Amino acid sequence: MALARMIIVGELPFRFVEHGGFIDFMAEVEPRFEIPSRVTIARDCLRLYIKEKESLRKVLMAGQKVCLTTDTWTSIQNLNYLCLTAHYIDVVWVYYKKILNFCLVLDHKGETIGRVVEFCLHQWGIDHIFTITIDNASSNNVAIEYLRRKTKDRVGSLLGCELLHMRCCAHILNLIVQDGLKDLNESIVKVRNVVRYVKSSPNRFEKFKACIEKEKIQSKSLLCLDVSTRWNSTYLMLESAPKLNQLCNGRGDLLLKGMAQRMKLKYDKYWGSVDRINPMLFMTVVVDRRYKLKYVRF
């Protein structure tokens, strides 16, 4: 079982146990230990998974309230995936985060997502749902409505699941920043294309590093290509790009004002009024002794 845990935690292939180096190592450590085959270790890993799953299921079925987060995406093979994660605090105030499901889904339609999540909750015996945090795609609103209809009459539902939907703050922040960056889009695209060109082959990247040394540029950061769903990756890309300020010359205060206006409009869409914010966020602030009612008034 310890070997199975090592395979799982280290994300090692099952055939690792048949590798010559590992066999030689175990011969030195404990010659009497009979090394299992990759088929046996795969069976042991599955047995360990079932044991841990049943242990977690007992905790979740015992009236444990959970917050859920879920996300969907499409792989480069054009396959749709969904991940469902449970977050909870036990009786001694220890926080846990457990992945309940990682599976293929037919599509990203709201009802499809809702049905998959519902089936997963049924499998785990979860009735006490606090909130579900999900990004702001319109299909997710349909998914939440579906889950609300299916779970509102359960014994463990909170206020008839009226406050079930928690919009992902990180996703909203990303939308706000990306909207503001649209005014800088031309300059950002130029930088992105340069970074993509340099990083597209090892030879180009090595030549680029040689140029840095030749020009004696005092910078330890290398080029970073941004990702559309992570606004801070765009910041890191622009920060590491040499002489970036020259790309933005001549646009000044007018540009910044336009960015701010765009960002404010996107902010107002999700957080512009109290009615658009899940009241559970206010409850969280109140029970945090660092903030209490001061931040609720703000």
Side-chain angles (χ1 to χ4, degrees), residues 232-250:
N232 59 316
S233 67
T234 304
Y235 167 77
L236 293 172
M237 181 184 73
L238 299 179
E239 184 185 45
S240 63
K243 301 179 181 178
L244 171 67
N245 290 336
Q246 292 181 8
L247 298 174
C248 303
N249 282 347

Side-chain angles (χ1 to χ4, degrees), residues 110-111 113-119 121-122 126-129 132 142-157 160-162 164:
E111 189 158 332
I113 295 170
R115 287 182 185 277
V116 172
V117 173
E118 180 195 18
F119 178 73
L121 295 178
H122 176 72
I126 297 174
D127 282 324
H128 295 72
I129 305 170
I132 299 179
V142 177
I144 290 292
E145 285 304 316
Y146 176 89
L147 290 168
R148 186 178 282 128
R149 291 197 310 272
K150 294 293 184 178
T151 59
K152 66 179 181 179
D153 295 325
R154 294 184 183 180
V155 177
S157 67
C161 293
E162 182 184 341
L164 186 67

Side-chain angles (χ1 to χ4, degrees), residues 70-73 80-84 101-103 105 113 116-117:
T70 186
D71 194 16
T72 56
W73 67 95
N80 302 311
Y81 287 93
L82 178 144
C83 183
L84 181 68
N101 202 3
F102 187 100
C103 63
V105 290
I113 295 170
V116 172
V117 173

Side-chain angles (χ1 to χ4, degrees), residues 25-126:
F25 172 73
M26 289 307 302
E28 290 291 332
V29 173
E30 178 50 84
R32 294 170 298 176
F33 179 68
E34 188 176 339
I35 300 174
S37 69
R38 59 182 174 183
V39 175
T40 303
I41 201 68
R43 194 183 300 125
D44 289 343
C45 287
L46 181 59
R47 191 183 302 128
L48 183 58
Y49 163 76
I50 293 171
K51 178 185 174 184
E52 293 293 331
K53 181 178 180 179
E54 191 56 34
S55 176
L56 177 60
R57 192 167 181 271
K58 287 178 181 178
V59 172
L60 297 177
M61 288 182 68
Q64 174 68 56
K65 273 191 168 60
V66 299
C67 289
L68 301 171
T69 57
T70 186
D71 194 16
T72 56
W73 67 95
T74 303
S75 71
I76 58 174
Q77 293 89 5
N78 211 29
L79 298 173
N80 302 311
Y81 287 93
L82 178 144
C83 183
L84 181 68
T85 308
H87 309 255
Y88 64 92
I89 299 171
D90 68 9
V91 291
V92 291
W93 290 89
V94 176
Y95 165 70
Y96 291 92
K97 180 175 74 171
K98 302 290 185 179
I99 295 176
L100 302 181
N101 202 3
F102 187 100
C103 63
L104 284 166
V105 290
L106 292 175
D107 51 56
H108 291 170
K109 293 179 181 177
E111 189 158 332
T112 302
I113 295 170
R115 287 182 185 277
V116 172
V117 173
E118 180 195 18
F119 178 73
C120 184
L121 295 178
H122 176 72
Q123 276 192 317
W124 285 93
I126 297 174

